[in-house]
Amino acid sequence: DFFRASGMQWCSLMVKGNKEPFQSSDEEVIRMALHMVLDATPDKPLLLHCTKGTHRTGCVVGCLRKLEGWSLTPIFDEYRRYAGTKVHLLDQQFIEFFTPTREHREKELKTRRNR
């Protein structure tokens, strides 16, 4: 398979979409995805993608931006730019209420220093 032949590791996380009335993304799965993103290095790159590359990917990237200290306005602008006409307000609400852990904050600072 392509990943093995290229020396890449493949991982699949099941991130549920944010849909009315009772389904939302699992914060723990988003946290796991953030750990993977923060572990990426130039010699160990990461491709982050969902089925269409908009909503679930947008939630992970939005939570990453929040962790990086972005304010909500540019986070939502970036989300809307890639979601196009398919913006999910519940995704934006998820990002708004997401709280990165102390461990994520420490890892993000370390990652930023190493870049």
Side-chain angles (χ1 to χ4, degrees), residues 6-102:
S6 302
M8 290 190 262
Q9 181 181 355
W10 183 83
C11 178
S12 175
L13 298 176
M14 299 307 292
V15 179
K16 293 180 182 174
N18 294 301
K19 299 180 181 180
E20 290 282 8
F22 303 112
Q23 182 175 318
S24 67
S25 295
D26 183 345
E27 281 201 33
E28 192 54 40
V29 176
I30 298 293
R31 286 188 175 97
M32 288 170 45
L34 285 175
H35 275 292
M36 291 176 178
V37 170
L38 293 171
D39 283 341
T41 61
D43 63 325
K44 188 176 135 190
L46 172 86
L47 169 65
L48 174 68
H49 208 283
C50 60
T51 305
K52 294 183 181 176
T54 53
H55 302 106
R56 290 166 183 87
T57 301
C59 281
V60 172
V61 172
C63 292
L64 175 67
R65 299 300 189 218
K66 192 170 183 182
L67 176 62
E68 292 173 330
W70 289 29
S71 66
L72 290 174
T73 300
I75 292 172
F76 293 157
D77 285 347
E78 183 179 53
Y79 170 86
R80 286 191 295 267
R81 188 175 325 121
Y82 290 100
T85 60
K86 307 250 185 203
V87 169
H88 290 176
L89 295 177
L90 291 175
D91 288 342
Q92 292 175 287
Q93 182 181 33
F94 179 88
I95 294 165
E96 180 179 358
F97 292 120
F98 179 79
T99 304
T101 64
R102 190 184 65 154

